Amino acid sequence: MSTSSSVPACGLPDADDAPLPAALVSVRPTRLGGPARGDEEWVAEEVPIALEYNGLSHAVMLATPLDLEDFALGFSLSENLIASPADLLDVEVQARPQGVALQLRVTARCELMLKERRRSLAGRTGCGLCGTDSLDQVFRPPTRPLPPVPVDREQLIPVLSRAMRELAEAQPLQQRSGGIHAAAWCSPQGEVLMVREDVGRHNALDKLVGALARAQIDTAQGFAAVTSRASFEMVQKAAGAGISLLAAVSAPTHLAIRTAQACGLTLAGFVREGRATLYS
C-alpha cells in the first residue's frame, strides 16, 4: 500500500516553518473481493502530539493534527492541569520529525501543581486512563454544580435526533475516510453549532471543550453530542466542562452511568433517528 497525497492540516505556524502533518492521507490499497471501487481512498492519520508545559514533558497522545490549540486548552482543562483558560498563557505548535510538539506556557501556580503531580502518560487512540499512577487521580468531581438540562424531556427525541443527523453531515474528515470521531456543541433545539473531529473520541471532546472555552460559550445553553460510546472519561470530561447533557450514538459503560448519576449529568446512549435511551 503506497501513499500518494494528503489533505493539509490546520496550517498553524511552528518555530521552524515546517508543515504540520496531514489529517488525511491518500493511499492505494489492494482490495480483495467485494464491489469494485476506485483505486484511491483516504485514511485518517495518527500523529504523536507531545504536550509540554513550561518546558516539562507531560503527555504524548495520538491525535489528528487539526485544531491543536483547542486540543491544548481542552486537554489542560479536562485533566485539571489548569483551573481556567486564563492559566494557559500561550501555545506554540512545533512540527517535529517524530510528530508535533505543543509548547504550553502556563502560570507559575500551575507549573508548581504540575511538578507535584507529574506523571508519564503514553497515549493511544481511544486511551482513557493511560499513565494515571494512583486511584485517587481517577475520579474528579466537577468543581461546580451542573446547570439544568436545557431541553424539555418531552422534546428530547426530536432534539437529539436532529443533533445526530446534523452532526453526521458536519464531519468532512469522517465522510472522506470513515475513521474519524467527532464531538459537537448543540443548541437546546438540536442545531449543531460547533464540531471538532479526531481519530480519538476523547481527543475530539477535548478539542470541543477547548473551543468552547476559547469562545467563552456558556455551557448551560446547550449540550454535547458524540459519535462514539459513552465511556467514563467522556462523562467526566463533559461534566468538568459544565455540560449537563451528553448524547452518544453508542452504548455507555456502567462506570459512565454511575459517574453521570453522581455528577447530575443526563446521559443518553444509542441516540439514533427517532430513539434514545436515558441512563441518568
Side-chain angles (χ1 to χ4, degrees), residues 51-59 102-104 111-112 114-115 118:
L51 294 102
E52 302 173 2
Y53 293 81
N54 290 10
L56 297 174
S57 297
H58 176 76
L102 301 182
Q103 298 279 353
L104 286 73
E111 180 181 353
L112 178 61
L114 278 162
K115 288 180 178 178
R118 189 175 182 186

Side-chain angles (χ1 to χ4, degrees), residues 5 47 63 107 177 198:
S5 59
V47 176
T107 61
S177 70
D198 198 277

Side-chain angles (χ1 to χ4, degrees), residues 139-157:
F139 297 97
R140 300 188 300 272
T143 57
R144 61 188 186 278
L146 295 182
V149 173
V151 182
D152 292 336
R153 192 182 185 96
E154 293 75 15
Q155 295 299 313
L156 270 177
I157 290 297

